[in-house]
C-alpha cells in the first residue's frame, strides 16, 4: 500500500482549491491502476 502526504499552503485552502488537488491525485491514481491492470493482462 502506498501513502501520499499532501501539504497545502494556506492560500490554497483560502482559495478553496483542496477539492481540485484531491481530484488530480485520484485521477492519477486511477490511471496508474488501469495501466497496472493492462500490464498484468498482457
Amino acid at each position: 500500500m502506498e501513502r501520499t502526504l499532501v501539504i497545502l499552503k494556506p492560500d490554497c485552502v483560502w482559495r478553496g482549491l483542496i477539492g481540485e488537488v484531491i481530484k488530480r491525485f485520484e485521477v492519477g491514481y486511477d490511471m496508474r491502476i488501469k495501466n497496472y491492470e493492462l500490464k498484468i493482462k498482457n
Side-chain angles (χ1 to χ4, degrees), residues 11-27:
D11 65 322
C12 178
V13 177
W14 294 329
R15 291 170 41 198
L17 299 176
I18 295 174
E20 184 66 28
V21 171
I22 300 293
K23 183 173 31 171
R24 288 183 186 206
F25 274 99
E26 288 176 347
V27 169

Side-chain angles (χ1 to χ4, degrees), residues 21-38:
V21 171
I22 300 293
K23 183 173 31 171
R24 288 183 186 206
F25 274 99
E26 288 176 347
V27 169
Y29 179 75
D30 289 342
M31 289 176 57
R32 240 180 36 216
I33 294 297
K34 289 176 185 176
N35 287 337
Y36 177 74
E37 290 172 350
L38 286 173

